[in-house]
Amino acid sequence: MEWNKNQILEAIKPNILERLNAPLTAIFCSPDELILEEKRNGGNWEVRGTLNSQNKFGALLKANFLVVIRIENVKHLFLSKKYLVKLVQKR
């Protein structure tokens, strides 16, 4: 894979932010904390990480995110439409 974790995080951030109640409060994990796992169906990767952001009541919550991406070549990274972004609130 030619993409580094920092580039991948920057590429997926907009899709995660649009699903948050208060996107301006989002604090993402560092790129080094991302977990990348290549899937067996060739070219698809799961990207997992965490973020903190405020909910609609202003409380800061921690959530896990999962984004499935497909890397076609060194210049193109595509977000999977099937599993675009999944946020799971940590309890």
Side-chain angles (χ1 to χ4, degrees), residues 14-77:
N15 295 86
I16 297 169
L17 291 171
E18 70 184 23
R19 287 161 174 74
L20 299 176
N21 287 317
L24 294 177
T25 67
I27 302 168
F28 284 84
C29 62
S30 74
D32 292 334
E33 295 173 298
L34 289 180
I35 299 169
L36 302 176
E37 182 180 341
E38 187 172 14
K39 304 313 286 178
R40 292 186 181 177
N41 54 358
N44 284 348
W45 291 76
E46 282 187 359
V47 182
R48 298 173 187 268
T50 60
L51 64 89
N52 294 309
S53 72
Q54 290 180 356
N55 65 8
K56 62 183 176 183
F57 303 109
L60 191 63
L61 300 177
K62 186 168 201 153
N64 294 319
F65 61 84
L66 164 66
V67 181
V68 177
I69 60 173
R70 181 171 186 84
I71 299 174
E72 294 289 334
N73 57 47
V74 295
K75 293 187 178 187
H76 298 287
L77 179 148

